[in-house]
Amino acid sequence: MNYVTLIFGMAAVTFAIRAAVFVLGERLPFPPIVRTALSFVPVTVLTAIIVPMTVSPHGKGAELTWRNPQLIAALAAIVVCALTRRALLTIAVSLGVFFVWQLVVLR
């Protein structure tokens, strides 16, 4: 029963925080330093999700070898993004590299 209470409590706090931002909207001004800090949140969260999955896809330590298709695809994505700055092209190329690497190179 404690887990259920904990889950509902976390849901209520999350809902209250998100609802407050939507309800108050522009009436709640943020200082410039907070706005600057909040602009880094999406990049930080995305990095925190992607890097562990790329470097350690099986969860057993870092796999920094050519046999890690996630790492090779991520490196290809970095190169394509740096050269073109086109998100859809970056996604398409990195997925292509991932599948080709996994199906052709590692067979």
Side-chain angles (χ1 to χ4, degrees):
M1 189 61 181
N2 289 336
Y3 291 119
V4 174
T5 306
L6 181 66
I7 291 171
F8 279 119
M10 289 187 302
V13 169
T14 301
F15 178 78
I17 291 171
R18 291 183 182 196
V21 171
F22 285 116
V23 170
L24 296 176
E26 294 296 322
R27 293 178 284 180
L28 181 65
F30 290 113
I33 193 160
V34 173
R35 287 184 185 267
T36 303
L38 288 175
S39 70
F40 291 106
V41 169
V43 174
T44 306
V45 170
L46 193 59
T47 303
I49 293 170
I50 291 175
V51 169
M53 291 182 349
T54 301
V55 174
S56 179
H58 300 105
K60 298 178 184 172
E63 295 181 26
L64 303 175
T65 68
W66 64 273
R67 298 193 54 82
N68 181 351
Q70 288 92 331
L71 181 61
I72 302 301
L75 294 173
I78 291 169
V79 170
V80 171
C81 184
L83 294 175
T84 66
R85 302 277 185 197
R86 296 180 65 196
L88 190 57
L89 180 64
T90 302
I91 293 168
V93 169
S94 63
L95 280 173
V97 167
F98 173 77
F99 287 118
V100 166
W101 200 268
Q102 193 168 8
L103 296 174
V104 176
V105 176
L106 295 182
R107 266 198 190 206

